[in-house]
Amino acid sequence: MEQNFKKGEYLLAPSILSANFVKLPEEIKSVETAGADIIHMDVMDGHFVPNITFGPKMVKDVNGITGLPLDVHLMISEPEKYVDDFAKAGADWISVHYEAAIHLNRLVNQIKDAGCKAGVVINPATPVDVLDEILFEIDFVLLMSVNPGFGGQKFIETSPQKAARLRDKIKKINRNILIEMDGGIGQNNMKMLKDCGVEVFVCGNSVFGTGDAAKAVKDMKKILNT
Ligand code: DX5
Ligand code: ZN
């Protein structure tokens, strides 16, 4: 399901990495009913990152059980080989790592040609300046606020400054590019991240690790909406 979001909206994207995979229909239904905006899906290949998750089949099956848009974060080497498969499986947003791409412009256009919103992800140690040229081509930037690979890691404290620098760049070129952040986000730092320009909040452990995902989503949406 494709949906158009605008700048100025704050969106909550629970990451199913922290959900119980054998109870996914209940887990996803509970966050959807509670007001989640997007479902974030982490694809890991054991090569680009030191962990393995799932492939297009999972995206296809999740697409069959939710009306929410699917935000597919590819943490894989040679992403160009798989982008079309994920688009066909029902991904609405696809993001690829700057660090995994040789021909980033071509890759981003491959995502758009496949009918998806295109995003570029940068790791914590990658400066936002590397995005200067590709900003003219993309729909969103995903800033990693932990090193990619695992849920439940500690938030890297220099991440808010990166968001603020990126927000200023986007303002200068006057484009509708959303800023998404991923890793270590919870109710404790959301308000501060909003103030730094983050618009899409990926939350894994702070939603599915709490024992009451629906309550966590409702509380987070309150923070985002005030
Ligand atoms: C990490 C993934 C994240 C992960 C975030 O590599 O990209 O999406 O699910 O998990 P938390 O919110 O627990 O840090
Ligand atoms: Zn992610």
Side-chain angles (χ1 to χ4, degrees):
M1 205 254 300
E2 230 264 278
Q3 220 169 308
N4 282 316
F5 297 111
K6 286 180 209 73
K7 284 202 86 60
E9 280 181 70
Y10 295 106
L11 306 170
L12 183 62
S15 166
I16 61 162
L17 182 64
S18 295
N20 183 337
F21 283 8
V22 297
K23 291 187 185 158
L24 264 191
E26 295 123 86
E27 298 263 56
I28 290 176
K29 190 48 75 193
S30 75
V31 296
E32 183 168 357
T33 310
D37 300 286
I38 305 172
I39 298 294
H40 185 84
M41 300 189 71
D42 290 303
V43 178
M44 304 184 187
D45 66 352
H47 185 260
F48 178 69
V49 287
N51 194 4
I52 299 176
T53 56
F54 47 76
K57 171 71 162 59
M58 179 72 129
V59 173
K60 184 171 183 283
D61 289 354
V62 168
N63 195 36
I65 60 165
T66 180
L68 294 179
L70 302 182
D71 168 29
V72 176
H73 174 192
L74 296 182
M75 284 161 273
I76 60 176
S77 302
E78 300 186 289
E80 63 281 357
K81 285 190 181 168
Y82 304 99
V83 158
D84 293 345
D85 292 341
F86 283 102
K88 270 190 214 123
D92 298 286
W93 298 19
I94 295 180
S95 56
V96 286
H97 272 258
Y98 165 82
E99 299 86 359
I102 298 171
H103 301 289
L104 186 59
N105 182 297
R106 178 182 290 149
L107 181 57
V108 158
N109 280 293
Q110 186 187 353
I111 297 171
K112 293 194 286 188
D113 289 347
C116 300
K117 300 268 179 230
V120 171
V121 196
I122 55 172
N123 280 337
T126 304
V128 291
D129 290 350
V130 302
L131 300 169
D132 282 357
E133 302 305 323
I134 205 68
L135 280 183
F136 293 93
E137 301 282 347
I138 58 181
D139 300 296
F140 66 104
V141 173
L142 174 49
L143 298 174
M144 288 310 300
S145 39
V146 297
N147 288 296
F150 302 95
Q153 300 182 81
K154 193 175 169 296
F155 183 78
I156 294 175
E157 297 297 336
T158 47
S159 314
Q161 307 157 27
K162 281 178 83 172
R165 278 202 299 276
L166 179 60
R167 175 188 54 196
D168 294 347
K169 280 180 187 291
I170 292 172
K171 212 174 198 177
K172 249 186 216 151
I173 63 170
N174 192 27
R175 291 185 75 95
N176 185 26
I177 302 167
L178 293 177
I179 302 178
E180 180 174 29
M181 192 171 273
D182 185 0
I185 301 178
Q187 292 178 39
N188 58 315
N189 54 16
M190 288 182 121
K191 160 85 178 74
M192 176 263 295
L193 292 174
K194 255 172 82 174
D195 294 343
C196 294
V198 176
E199 295 156 305
V200 187
F201 297 75
V202 177
C203 294
N205 207 44
S206 57
V207 169
F208 292 111
T210 58
D212 191 345
K215 182 176 185 312
V217 166
K218 281 184 201 150
D219 291 347
M220 286 172 166
K221 285 293 290 185
K222 252 182 236 155
I223 297 171
L224 295 183
N225 290 331
T226 45

